[in-house]
Amino acid sequence: WAVGLSGSGYSSPVAVYDGEGNGAIIQCAGDGTILMVDGETGMQRATLQVEGAIEASPAVYDGMMVVGTTEKGKNNIYGIRIE
């Protein structure tokens, strides 16, 4: 499968799993879009738009994703619960 991104893909994809072993892929785009797709089918599970550009891979730990953004004069770190 292939999924198009809404902006440049500077970050690496990150695999996450639920308690039953079902996998998903999280990919961040340079325009601030965070996309979660099913690891087997590529079907979109969720999308989220944050302020600023994402130029690095998110960190994931214990159901929480942390990602930083950059924007002229305004930078953010987001903590996002993965459900």
Side-chain angles (χ1 to χ4, degrees):
W1 50 262
V3 176
L5 298 176
S6 56
S8 299
Y10 300 115
S11 92
S12 296
V14 176
V16 295
Y17 298 89
D18 64 17
E20 298 166 1
N22 300 307
I25 304 297
I26 296 174
Q27 176 68 52
C28 299
D31 66 355
T33 302
I34 301 170
L35 182 66
M36 179 187 280
V37 299
D38 183 273
E40 289 188 24
T41 66
M43 297 296 294
Q44 183 174 320
R45 286 191 185 176
T47 186
L48 178 66
Q49 186 69 42
V50 296
E51 290 185 30
I54 300 173
E55 298 179 348
S57 302
V60 177
Y61 177 75
D62 197 23
M64 196 71 167
M65 177 181 73
V66 178
V67 65
T69 63
T70 183
E71 187 175 354
K72 187 174 182 176
K74 184 178 182 181
N75 303 297
N76 294 303
I77 296 176
Y78 291 92
I80 302 163
R81 174 75 48 203
I82 300 170
E83 297 181 358

